[in-house]
Amino acid sequence: MNSSLIKILDLIFLTRPVILIPVWGFCIFGMYSFKSQYLIEISSAQALLTLLFSLSVASVYVINQIADIDVDRENEGFALLVRGTISLNSAYGLCLILASVSVITPLLINQYELSALSALSIILGYFYSCKPSRFSGRPFLDFFSNAFGYGIIAFAAGWHIAGGELLSRDLAASALPYFLLMCAGSISSTLPDIPGDQENGKITTAVYIGKKNAHLLALFFLLFAAAYSLNHHEYLPFFCATISLPIYFLYLVFPVKTVMELTYKAGGTICMIAAAVAAPALIGAALFVFFSTWLYFRKRHGIVYPSLVPVVIDE
């Protein structure tokens, strides 16, 4: 394969497109909540605006990998910036391009609110990833800021793309259960990284209060999301919470690594299935990204990713 094409593919997958799927999913949740329909159709214009917004999050993913390069060397898994062949200068350049496109392009088509949401996403991502703030390494700020990015900002982007007003009490009330779901998933996703985070002085919530207490806190948020959703007749987040709960209870009984990973990986998959049920257009996009990512990592790096089990790397 042409070396230039390989470098382009490396940069594309540095943006971690497979975890852009949740960004699209939470945008869909926002559209779904505003339209109050059981099945929504997404126009090509709405899909383009969603993609533009998601580029801001892609730039944040690159920022996060740059900032976490030392921690990622200690943690298990396959961090592309650590184990790949991409230079830091290339990563910085990619980050700048993505951020610029996501903020400037909406301005050119009079989408000022969307541009502001993209900018807010990038600013939050910087504070989440970079010193001295580095929310990702501070207890409670880590999962709160992550959940705010998905459950509030991405949700609000979808709400706005569907035609909703951003400064709306209905927006806040509708976004809350999705914010709570992301609190649970964000906490759970840090449990496998506890050893590497401790080694590098990164005090996440899981490091600060311990693995068991962190899991109980995540379980609390999941139960809160289910109760709130049921009380406010928000059946889509209620479905996401209640279907995920058995996995969280299972981890209390069998606290093994595979079940630990399932809490947030299967839980996230359940949420995306719910988003795909609300907007079937997500199915094709998600399958394309998922298969492309699997093929890239299999052919380029010889590993199976994405996977519901921990990635094993032969050193």
Side-chain angles (χ1 to χ4, degrees):
M1 187 181 292
N2 184 277
S3 60
S4 297
L5 178 58
I6 291 175
K7 289 180 180 179
I8 292 172
L9 288 174
D10 286 344
L11 290 173
I12 289 173
F13 287 98
L14 183 64
T15 67
R16 307 178 73 185
V18 77
I19 58 174
L20 284 179
I21 296 172
V23 179
W24 302 336
F26 276 85
C27 286
I28 286 171
F29 288 144
M31 296 179 195
Y32 170 87
S33 295
F34 173 73
K35 292 186 175 183
S36 298
Q37 298 174 350
Y38 288 107
L39 192 66
I40 61 173
E41 293 185 5
I42 300 176
S43 68
S44 56
Q46 289 173 329
L48 177 60
L49 291 175
T50 302
L51 178 61
L52 279 175
F53 168 76
S54 69
L55 293 181
S56 69
V57 187
S59 74
V60 168
Y61 291 161
V62 179
I63 291 172
N64 184 260
Q65 290 174 85
I66 294 171
D68 274 357
I69 191 166
D70 291 329
V71 177
D72 287 339
R73 287 193 179 103
E74 301 294 333
N75 290 332
E76 294 185 16
F78 191 94
L80 192 54
L81 194 57
V82 172
R83 303 179 189 275
T85 58
I86 301 168
S87 70
L88 277 176
N89 285 338
S90 296
Y92 279 119
L94 177 63
C95 179
L96 180 60
I97 291 170
L98 293 171
S100 299
V101 171
S102 67
V103 173
I104 295 173
T105 306
L107 293 176
L108 301 178
I109 54 176
N110 300 319
Q111 287 286 337
Y112 304 112
E113 294 90 344
L114 190 65
S115 176
L117 288 170
S118 291
L120 182 59
S121 173
I122 294 165
I123 292 169
L124 179 63
Y126 178 85
F127 281 105
Y128 178 81
S129 303
C130 301
K131 295 178 179 179
S133 54
R134 204 184 191 191
F135 293 165
S136 65
R138 295 179 182 271
F140 307 109
L141 282 175
D142 57 350
F143 73 81
F144 181 84
S145 55
N146 200 16
F148 190 87
Y150 286 92
I152 303 297
I153 299 178
F155 183 95
W159 180 279
H160 168 70
I161 289 168
E165 293 289 334
L166 291 183
L167 300 179
S168 165
R169 182 178 299 177
D170 289 339
L171 168 58
S174 297
L176 182 57
Y178 297 100
F179 170 78
L180 296 171
L181 286 171
M182 268 307 303
C183 284
S186 181
I187 293 169
S188 297
S189 70
T190 63
L191 298 187
D193 293 338
I194 288 177
D197 290 339
Q198 287 176 322
E199 182 73 20
N200 286 275
K202 194 174 180 182
I203 313 300
T204 63
T205 301
V207 170
Y208 185 70
I209 65 176
K211 185 181 295 184
K212 183 176 181 180
N213 288 334
H215 178 69
L216 290 173
L217 181 60
L219 179 58
F220 164 78
F221 280 118
L222 204 57
L223 289 168
F224 190 3
Y228 179 92
S229 301
L230 184 61
N231 186 56
H232 289 77
H233 308 290
E234 297 277 359
Y235 297 116
L236 200 60
F238 177 74
F239 166 83
C240 295
T242 53
I243 299 299
S244 301
L245 277 171
I247 303 171
Y248 277 74
F249 283 118
L250 181 65
Y251 183 60
L252 289 176
V253 181
F254 300 104
V256 297
K257 192 168 187 177
T258 301
V259 182
M260 178 202 299
E261 296 253 349
L262 280 175
T263 55
Y264 65 93
K265 288 185 176 179
T269 300
I270 289 166
C271 287
M272 291 307 98
I273 290 172
V277 169
L282 180 63
I283 298 173
L287 287 176
F288 174 77
V289 170
F290 191 94
F291 178 74
S292 298
T293 301
W294 177 87
L295 187 63
Y296 167 80
F297 278 95
R298 185 66 177 165
K299 296 297 184 180
R300 177 78 166 118
H301 301 289
I303 63 171
V304 177
Y305 175 83
S307 173
L308 287 177
V309 298
V311 176
V312 177
I313 303 166
D314 295 326
E315 298 290 353

